[in-house]
Amino acid sequence: MINPDIYREMGLSDTEYQQIVGILGREPTETELGMYAVMWSEHCGYKYSRPILALFKNYREAQEKGALENAGVIPLNDRLGIVFKMESHNHPSAVEPFQGAATGVGGILRDIFTMGARPIANLNSLRFGEIEGGDECARNRFLFEHVVDGIQHYGNCVGVPTVAGEVMFHKSYAGNPLVNAMAVGVVDLDGIASAAAHGLGNPVLYVGSSTGKDGIHGATFASVELGPDSENRRPNVQMGDPFMEKLLIEATLEALATGDVVGIQDMGAAGLTCSTCETATKGGTGMRIDVSKVPQRETGMTPYEVMLSESQERMLAICRKGTEERVASIFRKWELNAVVVGEVTDDGIVHVWNGDKLAAEIPAKSLTDDCPTYQLETAEPEYIRTVQAFDPLSVPEPADYNAALEMLLASPTIASKEWVTHQYDSMVQTQTALGPGDGDAAVLRIRETQMGIALKTDGNGRYCYLDPFVGGQIAVAEAARNVVCVGARPVAVTDCLNFANPEKPSNFWQFKRAVEGIANATEIFGTPVVSGNVSFYNETPDGPIHPTPVIGMLGILDDVNRCCGAGFEEEGEVLVLLRAGNDSCGGLGGSEYLSRIHGIEAGKPPMIDLEAEKRLHSCLLEAIADRLIVSAHDCSDGGLSVCLAESCFYKNLGAVALIRSDKLGGLQASAILFGEEQSRILVSLRNERHLKRIESIADKYGVQALWVGSVGGDHLRITLDGKDLINSPVSQLQAIWRNAIANIMTREN
Amino acid sequence: MKFGVVRFPGSNCDQDAYYVLRDVFGKQVDYIWHQERDVKGYDCIVLPGGFSYGDYLRTGAIARFSPVMEAVIAHAQKGKFLIGICNGFQVLCESHLLPGALVRNTGLKFVCRHVYLRVENASTPWTNSAKVGQVLRIPVAHGEGRYVAEPETLQKLNETGRILFRYCDDKGNISEAGNPNGSMEGIAGIANESFNVLGMMPHPERASEKMLQSADGKVIFDSIIKTLLLQ
């Protein structure tokens, strides 16, 4: 009888252990127990989230058809498709930020090229604790600096540009940063690789780096809360080698092009265990492997260690019988290991041999499809009523609007992210038409077509904290809006759902409500969730993170040359606010302004009318297609004033905005300047002549087109009902915004 | 006229160089595998950017010993054309085809952004389509691009007009603010004594199409193509 402490330590409950004994009809071996523990973790098995994820229509249908592949494929034309996926690497990054972030990038890239797609872009969505402050923030700065370093190290070396993302700072992420990596690839539609092990007797090839003792039980580590002993989890963190990954990309794509590989899967979470049992399950077959044949970094590794290692840059490839030598030679040409370690069987069992000793004998399906799922309890947290009862309009007006704007521009969440993005190679592969800071989303051209794709990630933890349903809706709406601002049609979504311990009903309620919000918005926009990842247990003894679903949006441009940036281009351009939202507080609830200037995180998040939002998208896309628009920028964090300022900074141009409050619900100045009302886009037109045309397009879609002012001079001047509220030199505002993060990071370290 | 782009394991701008020559300039171009020992058929060879052999040890230090480099060095010694971009420049310095060295940026961080270059000498095979003082907007992307050399070397480079490009501001002034990596004298690109070998940190292949936000890098390819045509 196995000591219960052993399986409990691995994260299995007593009931789950009994289930395993039931499946096997005997006590499991140590290796088998480890394999179940890791595959039945939330990270691999989605045992808590699966029932909720069924709210995503695409996910549900794919699950029913048994077609949950590594990543979704979105057709671009009749020949090419786009694959994209996002994944978290939060816990590894909390204890070992450089490697944690680096291997996050590596892992998500492998998900892309295992499908036969060439990776063309990386994005990442990052959250850290506050970085402005003394020693109490030193750890947050350390994590921020080293996560960025890990991403640049891996992404730059592997030659995939990092083109977009977001970074936000909030105290709830102290000690538990969020590191969500997204990768995008382009694939020949008739060359999509399968992850199924087909064909009795087909050889199973192990390729890539050799196996070490790193990352053992990494997936299990991702499925517990962080605590004081998390530092001891550093051996659970994987070590990455981007040079190996670069070789693996080229070798894999070359091998897949031969047609000799019937199935392939990367070894990510749960390593060999996951890749063997999942490919066998998908193929409806079994698999026999011999761990003694696996290339190993050190001698004396046990089958348990080999099966659970999460060493990076490894793949499992199933070849047509007789072609294994040819396939292996491709990998060897790229100086990578390629060894036959087993073969496909037809008994539905994964047999793990260690030489002539049997180490594990498990029905493949019992590790994957038969992972127990649970309907967890939900309960609305008590704080919700209190925070929502707060009236954001009751807050006093600031004494000086210029000073308030400057404080917002200096907020690390709003400030320029150049300190980060200049460390990333955003241009390699020469496909980046709009890179970081150029537009509301990144735009990449697709070679040998006229087309382009637009990419953006979005997610606002504060909104989700105040109302996870609305926060989920807004995450989708804002990501879609950003993609529309560069002139692309939003087409599909990947998501990364970062939440706290789901076993606490209040946390699970947040999760369920956010997923409902996302499901609702993605259905209305016709942008299905095609791939994604759930990350639970993001909490420390200091408390849970803000619920933070992050949306990765893919948009398509039929003509990439028509893409539209976010900055004013020339003096004399005419400013128009396209508005389809209508929030009674002007979007002050949950705003950066309330938090930063008044230290308040309360109110309802901005209301969102998704149908109106959709009309706004159609309106702008038509105006861009009519070549009316020079620049388009979403009004989001910091509201209209920050939006105007950011568009000025691009070419250091001034602007005058003359606003009438009666056109904006008669609200107080702070709400108009800093409120984050949704469904608003600031556009600039070449000249006055285009004003009539944009008004008539807006009219057609039921969108308000509000003349705001024009581009010119060297000041940003905003007046409300004839009164100057903001009047500052653009160069001064720009310096604050551009240098804020660099100043913090050089001053404090 | 035939170009060859060397592929070391870890090269990652090899495809960019290949595409720009084939698609933008319509030239014949092949990849040359790092284990190739014969590069006779090529008029101009490109050592592309990237992280050859992972850049473990020191950037460009391992690539120098690869089989293909022996042939590439012989190619250069015959007076044939060779350009090293970014990591390729590092390999050229490590191979002693160009003097000096490229070390860690003064900012200690990788830097990827558009910078401005001033053309310092327009009477070379690589710049004959440009004008002296012309300002080019071309991106850099490197962690180790700070050019350093002994005073005598710098003096010699200056005297012989072998400094082809310097970092500058958008008006063409050489300044610290325009220098992304702390290179001595703002040096961004240099040639060997006979001007058939060019090494530069900025990436002209990333700035040869308007849709990539600058086509200023074209002038370098235009120049070498003109040179080869007139040969």
Side-chain angles (χ1 to χ4, degrees):
Chain A
M1 170 78 192
I2 282 180
N3 182 343
D5 288 345
I6 294 176
Y7 62 72
R8 285 180 198 151
E9 169 74 12
M10 291 181 183
L12 290 166
S13 71
D14 293 359
T15 328
E16 287 167 345
Y17 180 76
Q18 287 313 320
Q19 275 176 271
I20 294 167
V21 173
I23 290 165
L24 297 177
R26 58 177 166 78
E27 297 272 323
T29 64
E30 189 199 15
T31 306
E32 288 168 340
L33 189 62
M35 291 168 73
Y36 275 107
V38 73
M39 289 306 294
W40 284 11
S41 70
E42 167 59 29
H43 188 77
C44 288
Y46 292 87
K47 60 184 174 186
Y48 300 133
S49 49
R50 234 194 275 198
I52 305 295
L53 294 177
L55 289 166
F56 295 143
K57 199 160 149 256
N58 254 55
Y59 181 91
R60 188 173 61 240
E61 288 170 4
Q63 205 177 24
E64 282 159 8
K65 279 189 281 187
L68 275 178
E69 271 289 359
N70 278 349
V73 181
I74 300 299
L76 201 59
N77 54 25
D78 51 9
R79 197 172 63 80
L80 296 173
I82 299 293
V83 296
F84 67 123
K85 193 182 176 192
M86 184 157 38
E87 201 163 71
S88 64
H89 237 214
N90 304 339
H91 282 190
S93 303
V95 297
E96 175 33 66
F98 180 89
Q99 288 296 343
T103 54
V105 175
I108 197 67
L109 284 171
R110 283 193 297 284
D111 274 355
I112 299 302
F113 68 82
T114 14
M115 299 191 67
R118 175 167 287 279
I120 57 169
N122 282 315
L123 292 87
N124 43 72
S125 179
L126 311 176
R127 301 290 183 280
F128 300 94
E130 290 171 335
I131 56 170
E132 300 161 282
D135 288 349
E136 75 283 5
C137 298
R139 176 74 184 167
N140 298 335
R141 286 191 291 271
F142 172 84
L143 291 173
F144 174 39
E145 173 149 33
H146 290 270
V147 162
V148 170
D149 200 25
I151 291 170
Q152 70 83 18
H153 167 72
Y154 208 101
N156 295 354
C157 184
V158 83
V160 178
T162 302
V163 295
E166 359 106 56
V167 192
M168 291 178 153
F169 303 87
H170 185 272
K171 59 179 186 292
S172 77
Y173 306 109
N176 194 136
L178 302 184
V179 177
N180 293 178
M182 171 171 158
V184 185
V186 59
V187 66
D188 263 319
L189 288 173
D190 52 14
I192 299 169
S194 156
H198 286 296
L200 176 64
N202 273 341
V204 174
L205 202 61
Y206 170 109
V207 299
S209 292
S210 47
T211 295
K213 288 188 181 177
D214 55 327
I216 291 173
H217 273 300
T220 315
F221 172 45
S223 305
V224 291
E225 287 175 34
L226 291 168
D229 63 340
S230 291
E231 273 292 301
N232 303 332
R233 292 290 199 161
R234 284 171 66 145
N236 289 146
V237 178
Q238 311 80 355
M239 304 281 285
D241 180 350
F243 172 58
M244 279 295 197
E245 180 102 336
K246 171 66 177 163
L247 304 182
L248 198 55
I249 292 176
E250 299 303 333
T252 302
L253 293 178
E254 196 174 322
L256 288 173
T258 62
D260 291 336
V261 177
V262 292
I264 185 162
Q265 181 163 335
D266 84 293
M267 293 187 219
L272 257 175
T273 299
C274 184
S275 55
T276 50
C277 71
E278 284 194 355
T279 51
T281 303
K282 278 179 196 145
T285 54
M287 195 172 285
R288 187 180 54 75
I289 65 160
D290 181 350
V291 292
S292 71
K293 292 186 176 153
V294 169
Q296 293 167 27
R297 283 180 209 166
E298 48 194 301
T299 52
M301 283 182 72
T302 64
Y304 175 91
E305 288 166 335
V306 175
M307 290 306 290
L308 293 177
S309 163
E310 292 187 10
S311 288
Q312 300 288 290
E313 293 93 25
R314 305 178 301 159
M315 316 272 267
L316 200 70
I318 295 102
C319 308
R320 269 193 300 121
K321 200 169 182 171
T323 66
E324 59 269 29
E325 197 36 51
R326 206 156 63 209
V327 174
S329 71
I330 292 173
F331 286 94
R332 288 194 205 111
K333 180 183 108 184
W334 289 94
E335 300 177 7
L336 294 164
N337 290 308
V339 186
V340 175
V341 295
E343 62 176 10
V344 178
T345 59
D346 62 356
D347 56 5
I349 309 283
V350 171
H351 283 97
V352 179
W353 291 84
N354 183 22
D356 55 4
K357 278 212 194 102
L358 188 61
E361 183 177 17
I362 303 182
K365 217 165 136 278
S366 73
L367 287 166
T368 56
D369 295 2
D370 299 343
C371 168
T373 57
Y374 300 92
Q375 299 281 352
L376 291 179
E377 273 180 54
T378 62
E380 183 177 305
E382 284 169 14
Y383 76 83
I384 291 279
R385 270 164 195 273
T386 329
V387 292
Q388 290 196 355
F390 178 78
D391 175 14
L393 293 176
S394 66
V395 170
E397 288 293 286
D400 179 347
Y401 294 97
N402 284 296
L405 174 60
E406 289 183 4
M407 278 177 78
L408 285 174
L409 292 172
S411 159
T413 290
I414 288 179
S416 164
K417 302 301 181 298
E418 277 178 9
W419 184 85
V420 176
T421 56
H422 282 175
Q423 295 186 53
Y424 300 153
D425 189 337
S426 55
M427 308 175 198
V428 64
Q429 297 192 13
T430 54
Q431 295 170 143
T432 311
L434 293 179
D438 296 332
D440 275 11
V443 174
L444 293 146
R445 65 152 157 205
I446 301 299
R447 271 188 203 290
E448 285 155 31
T449 74
Q450 278 291 306
M451 301 177 84
I453 58 168
L455 302 164
K456 184 66 173 84
T457 64
D458 272 302
N460 185 318
R462 193 184 293 127
Y463 293 169
C464 291
Y465 165 76
L466 299 175
D467 185 335
F469 180 79
V470 175
Q473 289 180 315
I474 289 179
V476 180
E478 187 173 341
R481 197 183 312 136
N482 287 149
V483 157
V484 166
C485 281
V486 297
R489 246 174 19 253
V491 292
V493 161
T494 181
D495 63 10
C496 194
L497 307 172
N498 305 278
F499 289 84
N501 184 345
E503 297 163 63
K504 298 177 188 169
S506 58
N507 293 339
F508 203 67
W509 179 86
Q510 292 177 331
F511 173 68
K512 182 161 178 268
R513 290 296 289 158
V515 170
E516 285 168 354
I518 294 167
N520 170 245
T522 50
E523 282 197 31
I524 288 178
F525 293 147
T527 53
V529 179
V530 297
S531 59
N533 165 245
V534 179
S535 171
F536 280 134
Y537 302 96
N538 291 292
E539 64 183 288
T540 66
D542 291 334
I545 61 157
H546 273 354
T548 312
V550 174
I551 299 296
M553 182 68 73
L554 170 72
I556 293 180
L557 294 99
D558 294 324
D559 181 356
V560 68
N561 291 303
R562 297 270 187 101
C563 70
C564 180
F568 304 145
E569 293 278 350
E570 280 175 17
E571 296 220 350
E573 285 166 18
V574 174
L575 303 179
V576 173
L577 183 68
L578 299 175
R579 176 172 181 253
N582 189 6
D583 185 90
S584 59
C585 303
L588 271 190
S591 64
E592 185 71 12
Y593 165 80
L594 266 197
S595 163
R596 180 98 181 152
I597 313 289
H598 298 283
I600 296 168
E601 295 202 319
K604 289 192 177 121
M607 69 77 76
I608 177 125
D609 174 345
L610 296 169
E611 292 294 348
E613 176 80 38
K614 205 173 154 185
R615 285 188 273 111
L616 174 72
H617 299 174
S618 306
C619 169
L620 181 59
L621 288 175
E622 185 168 329
I624 291 175
D626 278 5
R627 299 178 187 266
L628 299 178
I629 307 294
V630 178
S631 72
H633 189 19
D634 161 39
C635 277
S636 59
D637 300 344
L640 181 60
S641 60
V642 167
C643 174
L644 277 160
E646 286 175 344
S647 291
C648 285
F649 297 158
Y650 185 70
K651 287 208 167 160
N652 204 26
L653 292 166
V656 180
L658 309 171
I659 297 165
R660 279 173 48 189
S661 61
D662 61 341
K663 301 267 186 184
L664 293 166
L667 292 173
Q668 61 209 45
S670 59
I672 288 174
L673 291 177
F674 309 121
E676 298 173 6
E677 185 179 79
Q678 295 297 297
S679 315
R680 293 182 303 164
I681 296 168
L682 178 75
V683 299
S684 70
L685 316 177
R686 187 79 59 211
N687 55 47
E688 300 275 357
R689 280 186 297 120
H690 291 155
L691 203 54
K692 277 275 168 291
R693 284 171 65 192
I694 194 132
E695 280 169 352
S696 81
I697 294 172
D699 207 41
K700 186 166 89 185
Y701 290 103
V703 169
Q704 192 182 359
L706 199 63
W707 178 88
V708 168
S710 60
V711 177
D714 56 7
H715 277 56
L716 172 62
R717 181 169 164 229
I718 306 176
T719 75
L720 185 65
D721 302 328
K723 206 174 122 205
D724 261 13
L725 296 183
I726 305 271
N727 197 356
S728 292
V730 168
S731 55
Q732 180 185 321
L733 296 175
Q734 167 148 230
I736 292 169
W737 174 80
R738 205 173 285 280
N739 300 329
I741 290 180
N743 285 345
I744 293 166
M745 297 307 288
T746 46
R747 185 177 64 231
E748 307 289 353
N749 284 336
Chain B
M1 182 186 311
K2 198 164 166 193
F3 288 82
V5 177
V6 173
R7 298 189 99 174
F8 298 110
S11 291
N12 64 26
C13 304
D14 47 340
Q15 297 171 41
D16 302 353
Y18 180 91
Y19 284 130
V20 82
L21 288 163
R22 189 191 69 179
D23 297 347
V24 179
F25 295 95
K27 297 298 162 210
Q28 205 186 344
V29 54
D30 292 337
Y31 289 119
I32 305 174
W33 189 240
H34 67 120
Q35 282 172 333
E36 203 61 59
R37 290 178 189 276
D38 180 2
V39 297
K40 284 198 192 72
Y42 301 100
D43 300 296
C44 179
I45 290 176
V46 182
L47 301 182
F51 292 73
S52 52
Y53 302 92
D55 271 349
Y56 295 117
L57 186 62
R58 202 169 61 241
T59 50
I62 305 176
R64 179 201 159 186
F65 295 105
S66 67
V68 76
M69 276 313 290
E70 215 172 296
V72 168
I73 290 169
H75 164 98
Q77 281 166 348
K78 273 187 246 157
K80 294 174 93 175
F81 294 101
L82 172 62
I83 176 173
I85 301 167
C86 199
N87 190 234
F89 186 11
Q90 294 161 342
V91 175
L92 290 176
C93 289
E94 286 287 339
S95 311
H96 304 296
L97 285 171
L98 291 173
L102 293 149
V103 300
R104 194 93 193 130
N105 299 345
T106 41
L108 301 181
K109 296 206 179 296
F110 190 96
V111 55
C112 172
R113 60 181 169 92
H114 277 95
V115 298
Y116 294 96
L117 306 183
R118 192 173 75 187
V119 178
E120 301 289 273
N121 181 350
S123 327
T124 80
W126 308 96
T127 51
N128 55 28
S129 293
K131 291 192 184 72
V132 171
Q134 188 175 339
V135 176
L136 310 176
R137 184 169 178 261
I138 296 185
V140 291
H142 58 247
E144 299 177 6
R146 178 179 157 218
Y147 184 77
V148 295
E150 295 150 359
E152 307 86 74
T153 307
L154 289 176
Q155 195 188 339
K156 212 157 120 197
L157 287 173
N158 274 304
E159 283 168 4
T160 50
R162 287 164 56 194
I163 299 168
L164 269 48
F165 308 105
R166 283 187 217 270
Y167 299 110
C168 62
D169 64 18
D170 57 346
K171 309 270 180 322
N173 303 308
I174 310 297
S175 69
E176 209 175 303
N179 185 337
N181 53 31
S183 283
M184 286 180 166
E185 299 191 13
I187 290 173
I190 57 168
N192 65 345
E193 282 172 14
S194 43
F195 290 94
N196 62 315
V197 179
L198 166 66
M200 63 188 297
M201 287 314 293
H203 288 271
E205 81 282 14
R206 296 187 183 188
S208 290
E209 289 170 89
K210 203 154 168 269
M211 77 109 37
L212 300 175
Q213 302 190 10
S214 172
D216 290 357
K218 276 181 86 167
V219 74
I220 294 162
F221 296 107
D222 282 335
S223 297
I224 191 64
I225 288 166
K226 187 160 107 186
T227 304
L228 289 170
L229 280 174
L230 294 175
Q231 249 183 356

